[in-house]
Amino acid sequence: MHAFDVLGDPVRRRILELLAQGEQSAGVLTAAIQDEFSITQPAVSQHLKVLRDNGFTTVRPDGQRRMYAVDPTALHDVDEWLSNFRRFWTPRLDALSTEIARGKRQRRPDPRDDH
């Protein structure tokens, strides 16, 4: 499955967003996803399996729990693909940074005005 096919599903994207905050148990992830998307526990498990099988997450046993974490491997592939398109937004972000810096310089009070 292509990375964007995996990420095209809003449930899987949300799971990755939750995992970006740090490692979490399957139970915690399932509860959060069930609350947000009203899907069954087996459906959440299937989404976790797709993420794991496609290199987006890792899982490790912790007693009775399964702990999930982001695996950056597949995200590197996505980042590499996106690198072809960065030229479209990077100059605009650079220009924005310049304008922000310019605005900060203009707002700075002149220390000579304090006297």
Side-chain angles (χ1 to χ4, degrees):
M1 187 177 280
H2 188 274
F4 286 104
D5 293 327
V6 174
L7 296 175
D9 187 282
V11 172
R12 291 192 284 266
R13 284 195 311 270
R14 182 63 180 134
I15 291 170
L16 284 175
E17 289 169 357
L18 293 169
L19 290 174
Q21 300 169 19
E23 184 180 59
Q24 296 187 41
S25 71
V28 168
L29 290 169
T30 298
I33 294 301
Q34 284 181 304
D35 285 347
E36 290 183 41
F37 292 92
S38 299
I39 62 175
T40 65
Q41 182 275 328
V44 177
S45 293
Q46 186 60 38
H47 285 293
L48 288 168
K49 181 180 182 336
V50 169
L51 289 168
R52 186 178 62 245
D53 289 351
N54 287 281
F56 284 91
T57 63
T58 60
V59 63
R60 69 173 179 83
D62 182 34
Q64 296 291 330
R65 301 182 311 169
R66 296 281 179 247
M67 301 300 293
Y68 281 82
V70 170
D71 182 344
T73 306
L75 293 173
H76 289 298
D77 294 341
V78 171
D79 186 55
E80 185 176 309
W81 187 85
L82 284 171
S83 69
N84 296 315
F85 302 94
R86 283 203 178 83
R87 65 186 169 95
F88 294 111
W89 65 77
T90 300
R92 291 184 180 131
L93 292 175
D94 291 343
L96 177 61
S97 294
T98 300
E99 290 302 316
I100 290 170
R102 190 174 290 147
K104 286 180 180 177
R105 281 194 306 272
Q106 290 174 354
R107 283 193 312 251
R108 245 185 253 153
D110 190 337
R112 296 173 290 189
D113 292 340
D114 289 340
H115 299 290

